[in-house]
Amino acid sequence: MNALPQASDGAAQNRRVNIQDVAREAGVSVSAVSKVLRDAYGVSPAMRTKVTAAIDSLGYRPHAGARGMRGRSYTLGMVTRELSSPLQAEIAGAFGLALDGTSYQGILIATDINMGSQRRAIEALLDRQVDGLMLIAPWMPHEAIDVFARRTPLVAIARTGEPDSYDTICDDGRTGSRLMVDHLAELGHTRIAHITAGSGGFVAPHVLSHVARREAYESRMRELGLTPHVVTATFDEKGGYEAAQQLLDADEPPSAIYAGADIAALGVLRAAKERGLSVPDELTVTGFDNAFISSVTGVELTTIDQSALEAGTVAARLLLERLNGRTEAVHHLTEARLVVRRTSGPPPT
Amino acid sequence: MNALPQASDGAAQNRRVNIQDVAREAGVSVSAVSKVLRDAYGVSPAMRTKVTAAIDSLGYRPHAGARGMRGRSYTLGMVTRELSSPLQAEIAGAFGLALDGTSYQGILIATDINMGSQRRAIEALLDRQVDGLMLIAPWMPHEAIDVFARRTPLVAIARTGEPDSYDTICDDGRTGSRLMVDHLAELGHTRIAHITAGSGGFVAPHVLSHVARREAYESRMRELGLTPHVVTATFDEKGGYEAAQQLLDADEPPSAIYAGADIAALGVLRAAKERGLSVPDELTVTGFDNAFISSVTGVELTTIDQSALEAGTVAARLLLERLNGRTEAVHHLTEARLVVRRTSGPPPT
DNA sequence: CTTCTCGTGTAGAACGTTGCACAAAAACTG
DNA sequence: CAGTTTTTGTGCAACGTTCTACACGAGAAG
């Protein structure tokens, strides 16, 4: 015992404390400890106190890998595309926050907007035995999501349609676009253009929410007797910039550009500035999302608010419900709200 | 077999394909498959082809939890505080990207700036058997980090000092602050204030990089015969706003405010706008980080660039090196570069 | 022809949990 | 008080890997 430092029981030095150690310390069986950990049926109050005391005194923490092998891993996975997309980061943050106080932990993998890499991220999460999946604006057809949803509880954000194998949370793009078109029309605009992103070839009704935004823009424009004008771009600063160039180079350039996402609107602002067009006096620019960045002094973008906090929180709740046994799908629509800031005004006369 | 759909071998229906299935398919032992998976020593080319063929045809994917129980989980964990902090999201993105093509996967947990919750995030990652840890601007004393570093390879970002149990990557705040003070002095400013964040009570030399920025600001100011003026705030928009209020309410308000982080500079811009101070004509505002948000039209903040791409990429490399056996610590300094944009100009006369 | 070494492959005991099947004790029945 | 049900606790076989220890055969060395 004193001859060799790591003889006999000295092996305990670096070992992680496991459920057996707890059982020994508490003087009960391993199964009993497991029961209180999962708070399963059939534990007396006395047992519970004994075991929790042992857990605390030993500083025991369950091994997620081992748990995942038989039961749950108590891990929920999120997939977003690039984190630089501000709204997605906000949703992920809210999701994580909503999990505080539960026994679940959220982990996140960021991908780029590419079906292959999103699929790989999901597989990676599944390899890590997550108990549930939250996908933000997943860039894949309904059928592909469906396959994953059959394996594990899943909630998709920013998808329309009402799939029955998974839950969805979607902004109310129809109302949002109507509010925005009405706002611009009331200001006196008639040439209102819209920037959208590609559909990805996904078929209705299971599409990404920006498609609903575009459709509602088109129909509201027609209702008001105006001609819709849509241009497609990638939803990032550069995409918005290029789309704006294209729009402003036209014979009859729009007096208002409504971008389907705030991030694209930032690119529109850059194009306007480069051309010496003052916003909103000579060009009105609006977005959708009300990401943090839109509120920053100097940007102050008129946009449609969709609460990232709400989306993340509800997503967490829906997943927990599924883990507790719910099987019918739930579809949640978040409210759209017009936020008027600096970048919208009447058209030049 | 035809009576009951899930009789006998029908059980294979929903089961995940495991290493045994692969071994059977390839006609070799389980150990052999394991060897090729980890490409360990002692596999003939013939064996390798047989096994990889079986893996592909079965679509086998190793179970990370089970792997983590004996060997590695092939998972690297990152901890950031709120993702809304743009630079941190950018670093995390670069880290993930750098891991593409390796057999490792990065996962992320976002926390708030609070030692308890950061610690909990790390523990959660350790419970999930990550093989390495990347901490971005960890809000905890060196000693606490050290404890984790002894358990697992670890790299800390935005920490100064040269700890020997873990690697660090830090922006060159000394040079950055010198560049910024010189820039402002050359423009003619003499009353240059600085906004910093709390030190957290961590002791030199193991502090967060914003402390180095502040120290360098102070010493450079003195070298130029100017009086430093520092105010402490939290590094978010609101914190910057409040600090600016305090500075601008003073008897002799500064003509230039150098915020220790871009995100805080945004708050300064808001305060300036509220007071009707035009930037940069009446007030110069600068930041540090060159986060994406600073380049946006309408913000166009003068700042110090530190490459998030570089930080994330190097972090991934350092961790992989450690996993391959390196044990001496490496400390990497990223270059600081002045980026002059709209928000800095000569002081009002 | 031994004996050594080397390269290649395999058996099987971990790893830390869960949860089924069961036993024992306690609490109700009539 | 015997019989039944309920509550509480335990034993043990999984789960899917890794990796040490070992066996086997083929050349190389003596």
Side-chain angles (χ1 to χ4, degrees):
Chain A
M1 194 161 173
N2 46 16
L4 289 165
Q6 47 184 0
S8 56
D9 65 329
Q13 292 182 325
N14 255 335
R15 234 189 63 249
R16 190 184 167 108
V17 13
N18 63 20
I19 201 172
Q20 296 220 49
D21 300 325
V22 176
R24 200 175 310 121
E25 171 85 7
V28 300
S29 74
V30 169
S31 329
V33 178
S34 175
K35 274 191 186 177
V36 333
L37 283 174
R38 297 172 284 129
D39 50 4
Y41 174 81
V43 222
S44 66
M47 165 71 80
R48 186 180 307 281
T49 28
K50 254 193 305 185
V51 171
T52 40
I55 287 175
D56 290 345
S57 89
L58 261 50
Y60 165 75
R61 299 187 57 96
H63 187 297
R67 297 185 106 175
M69 242 157 101
R70 295 283 301 162
R72 299 183 169 180
S73 68
Y74 297 92
T75 310
L76 265 22
M78 314 177 233
V79 178
T80 72
R81 57 187 223 236
E82 334 94 56
L83 283 172
S84 36
S85 166
L87 191 77
Q88 308 214 355
E90 293 166 34
I91 294 173
F95 183 86
L97 212 66
L99 251 31
D100 275 0
T102 73
S103 31
Y104 288 85
Q105 173 64 239
I107 65 176
L108 186 151
I109 295 186
T111 71
D112 45 20
I113 181 173
N114 162 305
M115 189 163 145
S117 76
Q118 298 221 341
R119 196 172 226 137
R120 254 174 290 133
I122 296 175
E123 301 266 352
L125 250 9
L126 256 18
D127 294 343
R128 282 157 188 80
Q129 295 300 108
V130 293
D131 298 327
L133 231 30
M134 172 181 90
L135 311 181
I136 308 186
W139 190 262
M140 47 179 70
H142 162 69
E143 291 72 24
I145 301 176
D146 188 65
V147 170
F148 294 121
R150 293 185 187 288
R151 284 222 268 158
T152 186
L154 190 152
V155 50
I157 297 199
R159 300 279 302 201
T160 64
E162 307 222 322
D164 44 46
S165 55
Y166 53 95
D167 301 335
T168 61
I169 297 171
C170 191
D171 58 277
D172 186 356
R174 304 205 70 75
T175 304
S177 273
R178 197 167 41 66
L179 287 171
M180 185 57 83
V181 172
D182 287 355
H183 169 61
L184 298 172
E186 271 163 31
L187 285 170
H189 292 278
T190 53
R191 295 195 313 284
I192 304 170
H194 180 64
I195 300 177
T196 191
S199 73
F202 313 142
V203 297
H206 302 292
V207 294
L208 281 154
S209 66
H210 66 261
V211 174
R213 296 174 196 170
R214 174 181 56 73
E215 287 172 356
Y217 154 81
E218 287 170 342
S219 64
R220 188 56 175 176
M221 286 290 279
R222 293 214 183 82
E223 280 173 30
L224 297 178
L226 302 172
T227 315
H229 186 7
V230 172
V231 40
T232 300
T234 56
F235 273 169
D236 53 24
E237 205 268 354
K238 187 152 163 286
Y241 173 78
E242 290 166 356
Q245 296 284 32
Q246 191 181 325
L247 285 167
L248 297 172
D249 278 339
D251 288 343
E252 283 226 316
S255 62
I257 299 181
Y258 161 36
D262 284 356
I263 183 91
L266 301 181
V268 178
L269 290 175
R270 175 155 64 97
K273 170 134 187 188
E274 264 186 31
R275 290 166 180 251
L277 291 172
S278 92
V279 173
D281 298 336
E282 295 171 280
L283 180 69
T284 279
V285 179
T286 66
F288 197 114
D289 279 347
N290 195 24
F292 165 71
I293 202 172
S294 308
S295 67
V296 164
T297 304
V299 180
E300 295 154 279
L301 190 71
T302 293
T303 188
I304 301 291
D305 181 67
Q306 57 155 314
S307 168
L309 183 67
E310 179 182 352
T313 309
V314 173
R317 185 168 53 74
L318 293 182
L319 238 28
L320 292 177
E321 282 175 17
R322 284 227 176 227
L323 290 169
N324 285 330
R326 175 165 60 73
T327 54
E328 345 74 69
V330 167
H331 304 286
H332 182 93
L333 210 60
T334 61
E335 196 192 352
R337 210 169 46 82
L338 178 68
V339 180
V340 179
R341 294 208 185 91
R342 182 187 60 90
T343 60
S344 59
T349 43
Chain B
M1 193 163 172
N2 45 15
L4 289 164
Q6 47 183 359
S8 56
D9 64 329
Q13 292 182 327
N14 256 335
R15 234 190 63 250
R16 191 183 166 107
V17 13
N18 63 19
I19 201 172
Q20 295 221 49
D21 300 326
V22 176
R24 201 176 308 122
E25 170 85 7
V28 299
S29 74
V30 169
S31 329
V33 179
S34 176
K35 274 191 186 178
V36 324
L37 283 174
R38 299 171 282 128
D39 50 7
Y41 175 81
V43 222
S44 66
M47 165 70 81
R48 187 180 306 281
T49 28
K50 253 192 307 184
V51 170
T52 39
I55 286 174
D56 290 345
S57 88
L58 262 49
Y60 165 75
R61 299 185 57 93
H63 186 297
R67 297 185 106 175
M69 248 162 96
R70 295 285 298 166
R72 299 181 170 182
S73 68
Y74 297 92
T75 310
L76 265 22
M78 313 178 236
V79 178
T80 72
R81 57 185 221 236
E82 334 95 56
L83 282 172
S84 37
S85 166
L87 191 77
Q88 307 214 357
E90 292 167 34
I91 295 174
F95 183 86
L97 212 66
L99 251 30
D100 275 0
T102 73
S103 31
Y104 289 85
Q105 174 64 240
I107 64 176
L108 186 150
I109 295 185
T111 71
D112 46 19
I113 183 173
N114 161 306
M115 190 163 144
S117 75
Q118 298 221 342
R119 196 173 225 136
R120 254 174 291 134
I122 296 175
E123 301 266 350
L125 250 9
L126 256 17
D127 293 344
R128 280 155 190 82
Q129 294 300 107
V130 293
D131 298 327
L133 232 29
M134 172 181 90
L135 311 181
I136 308 186
W139 191 262
M140 45 179 72
H142 162 69
E143 291 72 23
I145 302 177
D146 188 65
V147 170
F148 294 121
R150 293 186 186 287
R151 284 223 269 159
T152 185
L154 189 152
V155 50
I157 297 198
R159 299 280 302 201
T160 65
E162 308 222 323
D164 45 45
S165 55
Y166 54 95
D167 302 335
T168 61
I169 297 171
C170 192
D171 59 276
D172 186 356
R174 302 206 71 75
T175 304
S177 273
R178 196 166 42 66
L179 288 170
M180 185 57 83
V181 171
D182 287 356
H183 169 61
L184 298 172
E186 270 163 33
L187 285 170
H189 291 276
T190 53
R191 294 195 315 283
I192 304 170
H194 181 63
I195 300 177
T196 191
S199 73
F202 315 142
V203 296
H206 302 292
V207 294
L208 282 154
S209 66
H210 67 260
V211 175
R213 296 175 196 168
R214 173 182 56 72
E215 287 172 358
Y217 153 82
E218 287 170 341
S219 63
R220 188 55 175 177
M221 287 289 280
R222 294 215 182 81
E223 280 173 31
L224 297 178
L226 302 173
T227 314
H229 186 8
V230 172
V231 40
T232 299
T234 56
F235 273 169
D236 54 24
E237 205 267 356
K238 185 151 164 288
Y241 173 79
E242 290 166 356
Q245 297 284 34
Q246 191 183 324
L247 284 166
L248 296 172
D249 278 339
D251 289 343
E252 284 227 316
S255 63
I257 299 181
Y258 161 37
D262 284 356
I263 184 89
L266 301 181
V268 178
L269 291 174
R270 175 156 64 96
K273 171 138 187 183
E274 265 185 29
R275 291 169 178 248
L277 291 173
S278 92
V279 173
D281 298 337
E282 295 171 281
L283 181 69
T284 279
V285 178
T286 66
F288 198 115
D289 280 346
N290 195 25
F292 165 72
I293 202 171
S294 309
S295 66
V296 165
T297 303
V299 181
E300 295 153 280
L301 190 71
T302 293
T303 187
I304 301 289
D305 181 67
Q306 57 156 314
S307 169
L309 183 67
E310 179 181 350
T313 309
V314 173
R317 185 168 54 72
L318 293 182
L319 237 28
L320 292 176
E321 283 175 15
R322 284 228 176 225
L323 289 169
N324 285 329
R326 174 166 60 74
T327 53
E328 344 73 68
V330 168
H331 303 287
H332 183 93
L333 210 61
T334 61
E335 197 192 350
R337 210 169 48 81
L338 178 67
V339 180
V340 179
R341 294 208 185 91
R342 183 186 60 88
T343 59
S344 59
T349 42

